[in-house]
Every structure is written in C-alpha cells, then in structure tokens.
Amino acid sequence: MGTWREQTPAVWETVVTPCDCCGQVVAKRLWIVEVDGGERRFCSPECEDLYREYVLPRKAADR
Amino acid sequence: MIDPVTLAVVNNALVNICREMGITMIRTAFSPIFNEGLDFSCVLFDRRGNMIGQAEFCPAQIAASLFIVRWTLEELGVDSFEPGDVVLHNDPYRGGAHIPEHAVIRPVFHEDELFGFVANVGHLAEIGGKAVGSFAADATEVFQEGLRIPPVKIVKRDVNDMDLWRLIMANHRTPRNTWGDINAQIGSLRVAERRVIELLDRFGRDFIDKAAEELMDYSERWMRAEIEAIPDGAYAFTERMEDDGVVDEPVTFHVTVTVKGDELIVDWTGTDPQVRGPINATYGVTAGATYNAVFHLTDHHIPKNSGAYRPIRIIAPPGSAVNVVYPGPSVGGNTETHPKLADMVIAALAPALPDRVAAAEGGTACNFLFGGIHPKTGDYYANYHLEGGGWGAKSYDDGNDAIIVKNGNCRNTPVEIFETRFPLRVVEYSLIEGSGGPGRMRGGLGTRRILRVQEGAEVTCNALFDRTKEGFGAFGLEGGGTGGRGAILVKRKGEAEFRTFSEVFGTTSSSKFTNIVLTGGDEVLIHSPGGGGYGDPRERERERVARDVFERFVTPEQARAVYGWQGA
C-alpha cells in the first residue's frame, strides 16, 4: 500500500523528480511504494500498477 | 447526455478559440519564426489541468503543452492564480520540449470563479546562451543553451513585473524581438480569454464544463476503438542518429509498442543513455513523438483533447536519450530526435497496420541559425531557419516533397525575408533529383538551397542537421529504398568547391556546429534529405517511372538501374 508524499523543495533545489516507472515529472506529490525491499517513487497509483504488471515482468523476462 | 450536434458546435468553438490565438500570434509577433514559421501551439485547459481544446499548429508541442500546463498547475497550485496573471515558463525538465520554447499560461475567470486556463507555447528565436539563435549544436549542458525560466508570474493582475522582464531582456541577444514576441503570446491569451468568456456567457458555465467532459470521454472511446482494431502484440523497432554533435559516434534509440486490448504501452527502454550533446529528448518530446505517431495512424477526426491521450501509456527511462535529466542539453531533441521517434513508432506498427504506415521521412529540421550586426541598420539580428525534406512513401502513394518534419507543421524562411531582413542572398532553391527513396511508392524529394553572404556583412551561424552520413538515410519499408542524404557545406569566397564545415573550420561534427563566422561572398549549401520508399521499386507502375524521369524527380540512370525502366 502506497502513500502520498508532498515535496517542498528549497529555493536552490531547481530540479524536479521523475517517476520511477514512466519517467514523467512529479511536480508536487510523489506516490511512495515499497517494492522488493526498496522505495519506489511514482507519479500515481496507476503508474505503480503499470510497474508491477508490465515493467517487473519485462525485467524478469530480460534476465 | 448532450446531443452530438451541440457537442460538435462546442468542440468547434473551443478549437476556433485556439485558432484565433494563433492568428493573433501571426499578426502581432515580431519574429519570422512566428509570423512566417508558425512555430507555436495554442491550447485551452479546464481548471483540473485537462486539455479541452487545441489548434493544429506545431505538433512538436502537443505533449509539451499538455505537460507544461498540467505540471505548472500542480507545482504552483491552482489557487495561486488570480485574474490577469500570466505565468511564463521554458524549463525543459518541467515538461518543455526544449529551452527555446516559452509557455505563457493565463487563468480564465467567469463571474469571479476559475473556469480554466489558456496557454500558448512558442519557440523564441533567440534566448541567449553560447550560440546565436540559442541552438548550440555542441552544448554539453543546459546553461549553454539559453536562459532557463521555471514557472514564474511575469504578469500579475494585468500588471507587468518589469524587474523580471528586465532580467530576461538582459540575457537575450535580440531583446526587442523578445519583448514583441512574448507580448504577442500574451496578447493571444487575452483574445482567447475574451472568447472563452463569450462562450460561457452564451451557453452557461455548467453546460460548457459538461460538454468538455463529454468531449474528452468521446475522444477516449474513439481512440480506444482505434487501438482495439490493432492486433494485440509487442512490436519493436530500432533507429540510429549519426552523432550527438559532441561525440562522433551514433546514438541508438529503441522502442517496443505493446498493444493490449484498447491500450498502448510505448516503452523506450533499450535506448542509449543520455548523451553529451544536445540531441537528448525531454520527456515532453518523447511523449509528443509518441502521440504524434499514434495520431498519424488513427482517425484524424478524433478531437484532440486529454481524452484522446488516456489510452496511451509511455515509459521513457530518466537519464536516457529519450528523457534527459538535469543538466543535460536537449535543444536538438525536439527537432532531430522527435521525427525519428515518431517514425519508429509508425515503423514498429508496420506489420500490424501495413496500409496506414509510412516509411521514414528526412527526419531532420535542417536547423540553420544565424545572426550578427546588419551592415545597413547597425542593429543585431538573429533568425532560425528550418528546411523541409522528403517524407516517407505510403503503401498507396508517394511521399510529399520539401515538407518540414512531422513534428513541425512549420514553414521555412521565405526568400524575400532572407534578402530584405538579413544580409543574405538566396542563389538557388530547388528539388534534388533522385533524392526520394526508391520504391513501388517513391519517397519525397529533398531540397537544395544556396545562401550567399552579402558583401560587407559578417554572419555567425550554427547548424544542427542529421542524416548526412552514409548508412543514416531515411529508411524504406517493405523493400523500399533509403532516401537521399542531407548536407550542410560551405564555399569560402573565391573557392571553387563546397566542402564540409569540418574540413574548412575543423568542427567535430560536420552536421552539428556552433558559432562559425562567414564573411561577404561566402556561400552555404543546404541539402535536406529525401524520404524512404515503400515496396519493391521494380513493381512501380511504368507510367509513374516515366513521369518521374520527365519531371526530373528521378534520374534516367536511377530509373534504369533501380526501377528497371526501359525508356530512353
């Protein structure tokens, strides 16, 4: 189960964070999920689904 | 449910508001890139960040405009907008296609309540940085590409923030044009705001809200039906670019398009890591290329709003050449990489949609930028010129000749503009015989242009081309041949032959270079590439081959050797 985390960058932090699945910019709120013991940052719960249903099986097949 | 006729009326009204924004831009902008080149896009959004209207100007910005507005609203917060505010933004890492493209966004309030936003994304011809025209073909980081502006309010409650304006002006080489062009953009927003309010007065705010929702759902259903008609499967394609402008090595792009029911997953994993030079694509470019390709393959009548985009999922790994991360350069990604990415999605789906796809197009915008002090006026000038090339052949027709890349819809700089506003003379502008890739259907032809620097003038120029090397021409499909290569060459005054800029000036890349100074009598030759062919050339109708020879689209030698022509 994920949680939303709001970003409050300092004025010198001029770079935005990309989604770990699709690569889109996450302008304000990150969807944080633990996957395989590590934290993943997504733009939305839908992207978490895409990560689990498409990216992980593809990575497993590539291995 | 709103009846279809009324829905069509509302859709046309929304699109026409965007078109009127564009006409305002054309008539009021200072720079040829807007009033001749049409390098801008005009869009309407609802207050939740959904795009509800878009005019058909520059496809390069179809995704950039979508993401720039949505992410700006997220970052600043919808509640931060007041009537008369205008946000300016060109950050390539926040949805932009590349740094020259500046978005202006204005809220539309109706009876003191926020309805939505109007926005205009336009390519400013000069924004500072290391190269005149802000197209540094050898840039290795964003700071060399021009002034980067995150979302900031340049107008607050209809009052200019002059401190911000002065800061921007001090960093651009042609500040008067910047003033005129950004104000043309802002003026187009005011026109659109007026028209949206008229529409809300006429139909009522709740009705337009509902109509916009229904239009988005309609577009989504239509797009899903189009995708569902494609056979399920995973379709892959790989393409290369000849170099990145800094390192003289090819760059490889890879895509896998998965069709699953009524959804598409377009996965760019397998593309090379981010490169040193400026051909990296931003997320906005890669998404734009993907949508552009899908729109080419599906019914073009689908209303272009957020609904049409919903069934398409895109994966662009950060830190790769299809999703540049800070501080990587990206100015050429929008012009050189976008057309190749779009052609890759189209080619990947060729086995599934043989009658809808096209072979590759020239795939380079042939960016030629120049500037200097005009000898007659003493004023600094700068111009961004694009050259059209050949488009790819389809199963049912030849490719178009001399058309700007499919992410452009832009126009070139007219001869009259070259000769009246800049110290250049157009010596030749013609189609290149034999440059279309051979095929049952022939690729479109590239063009040849020669520019001569007027006596007494000094012109500093940059170029960002591709497809100039052997093995990198526009690919054909189903046995069609490769299109003719492009070129950018120079002949110094008094010399007899054109040579590459690498040979004359020692540039690392012969097709991508920055800040070369030419003087009176020097000439530049631009060849745009031809498009790829479709099908076996020996199956081309004999009448078409004979006409090609007669029209000098194909040389007699090529006709005999490649097409098996027996004519005289």
Side-chain angles (χ1 to χ4, degrees), chain B residues 48-384:
Chain B
R48 291 172 292 278
N50 295 307
M51 187 172 69
I52 58 175
Q54 181 184 43
E56 47 290 87
F57 288 106
C58 186
Q61 293 139 355
I62 56 178
S65 50
L66 188 72
F67 296 119
I68 281 174
V69 176
R70 187 191 299 164
W71 295 343
T72 297
L73 301 186
E74 278 179 36
E75 188 167 348
L76 300 185
V78 172
D79 295 339
S80 71
F81 285 86
E82 296 185 281
D85 287 351
V86 176
V87 166
L88 177 71
H89 161 22
N90 77 334
D91 190 339
Y93 309 114
R94 283 179 163 86
H98 58 174
I99 197 166
E101 287 184 357
H102 287 60
V104 287
I105 306 165
R106 182 180 173 97
V108 177
F109 285 83
H110 182 249
E111 295 170 352
D112 296 328
E113 200 173 332
L114 180 67
F115 167 76
F117 297 86
V118 291
N120 179 318
V121 183
H123 182 131
L124 294 189
E126 167 45 57
I127 63 158
K130 72 179 284 192
V132 61
S134 313
F135 230 86
D138 58 354
T140 54
E141 54 182 24
V142 69
F143 306 107
Q144 297 158 0
E145 298 187 309
L147 183 66
R148 175 171 159 238
I149 306 170
V152 291
K153 282 188 189 173
I154 193 166
V155 181
K156 294 173 183 167
R157 296 193 77 90
D158 275 323
V159 178
N160 278 318
D161 181 337
M162 292 310 296
D163 288 344
L164 200 47
W165 276 101
R166 276 193 287 272
L167 184 67
I168 294 167
M169 297 295 168
N171 284 280
H172 289 189
R173 288 180 179 83
T174 51
R176 187 173 178 275
N177 283 2
T178 296
W179 173 254
D181 290 339
I182 294 181
N183 270 305
Q185 288 185 277
I186 292 172
S188 78
L189 301 184
R190 292 199 175 103
V191 169
E193 180 188 33
R194 226 169 28 237
R195 295 289 179 256
V196 171
I197 290 171
E198 285 169 7
L199 191 69
L200 298 174
D201 284 342
R202 181 178 166 197
F203 285 96
R205 177 199 168 86
D206 290 344
F207 182 85
I208 294 297
D209 258 340
K210 189 168 185 303
E213 284 291 335
E214 289 196 19
L215 278 166
M216 286 188 282
D217 291 344
Y218 174 64
S219 292
E220 181 179 354
R221 284 196 304 275
W222 195 343
M223 182 57 84
R224 286 189 184 282
E226 291 277 325
I227 294 170
E228 200 155 27
I230 306 172
D232 276 7
Y235 306 91
F237 200 82
T238 300
E239 165 71 314
R240 295 185 312 158
M241 188 178 290
E242 60 190 24
D243 64 64
D244 69 4
V246 175
V247 180
D248 193 14
E249 288 176 5
V251 184
T252 300
F253 300 88
H254 182 76
V255 70
T256 304
V257 182
T258 302
V259 184
K260 193 176 172 189
D262 61 1
E263 287 197 345
L264 283 180
I265 300 171
V266 182
D267 182 1
W268 295 94
T269 303
T271 294
D272 275 353
Q274 183 169 318
V275 293
R276 287 278 288 165
I279 60 83
N280 296 302
T282 65
Y283 182 87
V285 165
T286 300
T290 304
Y291 296 139
N292 193 352
V294 174
F295 291 153
H296 267 86
L297 297 171
T298 50
D299 195 317
H300 69 276
H301 293 100
I302 301 175
K304 302 299 182 292
N305 55 45
S306 283
Y309 298 72
R310 288 174 190 154
I312 305 162
R313 308 295 300 272
I314 296 164
I315 295 175
S320 73
V322 291
N323 193 355
V324 63
V325 295
Y326 175 91
S330 62
V331 73
N334 196 34
T335 62
E336 306 307 286
T337 309
H338 180 133
K340 292 182 181 68
L341 301 184
D343 277 347
M344 287 172 65
V345 174
I346 291 170
L349 288 167
L353 299 169
D355 292 329
R356 289 196 184 185
V357 298
E361 54 148 295
T364 169
C366 299
N367 306 287
F368 182 67
L369 300 98
F370 54 90
I373 305 290
H374 200 297
K376 285 187 180 161
T377 63
D379 292 333
Y380 201 99
Y381 66 89
N383 188 52
Y384 176 15

Side-chain angles (χ1 to χ4, degrees), chain A residues 4 6 9 12-13 15 17 21-24 27-29 34 36 38 42 51-52 61:
Chain A
W4 287 106
E6 187 139 324
W12 58 83
E13 292 176 309
V15 184
T17 310
C21 175
C22 70
Q24 279 196 55
K28 199 73 178 176
R29 292 201 312 162
E34 185 144 321
D36 292 340
F42 299 113
Y51 188 78
R52 292 185 189 281

